[in-house]
Amino acid sequence: MNISIIQPPQVAWASGLFSGGPLIRKSTCIGNLANVFADEQAWQAYPPHEVVYEVDMLDSASTEGALYTGVTHLNPGKVGDEYFMTRGHFHARREQGEVYCGLRGTGLLLLQDEQGAARLEHVFPGSVHIIPGFTAHRLINTGSDILSALAVWPSAAGHDYAALAQGFSVRVVEEGGEARVKEINHD
């Protein structure tokens, strides 16, 4: 029997850059993040094409049982006093979970259940985050370097951004040179 050995795609752990596989890159600019940041005037003052984050994904099958693998690269910055963050989402199939691994930079992972209860986890090189089903999630860059995190999730999970039209129940802002958490009342 002649078994071939295949070279799989690779990720550089220090930078989060993929090599050796077909990639899909998606950039999210500040102009794509309407109603995400609290300070509307500060948001409008940014050039709409400024990139807030990019996601590099391995081009994978989107069949039941398959997994997506990607790296989010979230730039440092703030809109007003609020740190740059990803849009954040629930999965369309709520029961589907996800795993994040911190690769570069420092920040927070905001997790929120369907009742609005939120918690934050520190993200740093080597951190591992198990995101259970029925949990919305968002990365927040509180550092001065790019925050990169590897993610693996079921390809059938999908994204539900509309469920968070009112936003998350907390915001992370800089006050006195430190990250502070502010609770939001959506009533």
Side-chain angles (χ1 to χ4, degrees):
M1 174 163 45
N2 188 7
I3 298 175
S4 62
I5 298 174
I6 297 171
Q7 180 65 39
Q10 300 161 51
V11 65
W13 294 109
S15 66
L17 298 177
F18 280 121
S19 63
L23 291 178
I24 299 168
R25 172 167 274 186
K26 179 187 172 214
S27 295
T28 300
C29 299
I30 197 85
N32 303 119
L33 296 173
N35 303 314
V36 171
F37 296 96
D39 188 335
E40 182 76 16
Q41 275 189 312
W43 174 76
Q44 288 180 349
Y46 267 92
H49 297 297
E50 180 165 336
V51 175
V52 175
Y53 62 98
E54 295 179 310
V55 177
D56 292 332
M57 278 180 49
L58 294 174
D59 192 7
S60 305
S62 59
T63 58
E64 188 72 34
L67 296 172
Y68 284 140
T69 303
V71 175
T72 298
H73 303 281
L74 177 56
N75 290 321
K78 291 187 302 250
V79 174
D81 62 356
E82 195 169 15
Y83 293 101
F84 274 7
M85 61 186 136
T86 59
R87 180 182 306 279
H89 62 273
F90 280 101
H91 286 152
R93 287 182 52 184
R94 292 283 197 277
E95 76 282 1
Q96 302 293 312
E98 189 165 351
V99 175
Y100 278 16
C101 298
L103 301 175
R104 172 174 67 170
T106 56
L108 297 167
L109 175 61
L110 172 56
L111 302 166
Q112 179 175 303
D113 66 22
E114 292 178 304
Q115 291 72 44
R119 73 179 191 277
L120 292 157
E121 296 182 0
H122 286 282
V123 180
F124 54 89
S127 64
V128 177
H129 309 271
I130 309 299
I131 303 168
F134 304 96
T135 305
H137 41 287
R138 158 183 280 165
L139 279 173
I140 303 165
N141 188 342
T142 59
S144 58
D145 191 14
I146 294 171
L147 174 62
S148 296
L150 175 77
V152 179
W153 69 101
S155 60
H159 296 89
D160 180 358
Y161 299 105
L164 291 163
Q166 295 282 327
F168 281 75
S169 63
V170 300
R171 293 191 176 273
V172 179
V173 299
E174 183 180 74
E175 287 182 354
E178 294 186 22
R180 301 275 187 226
V181 178
K182 288 186 173 183
E183 290 190 46
I184 305 300
N185 186 354
H186 291 298
D187 295 332

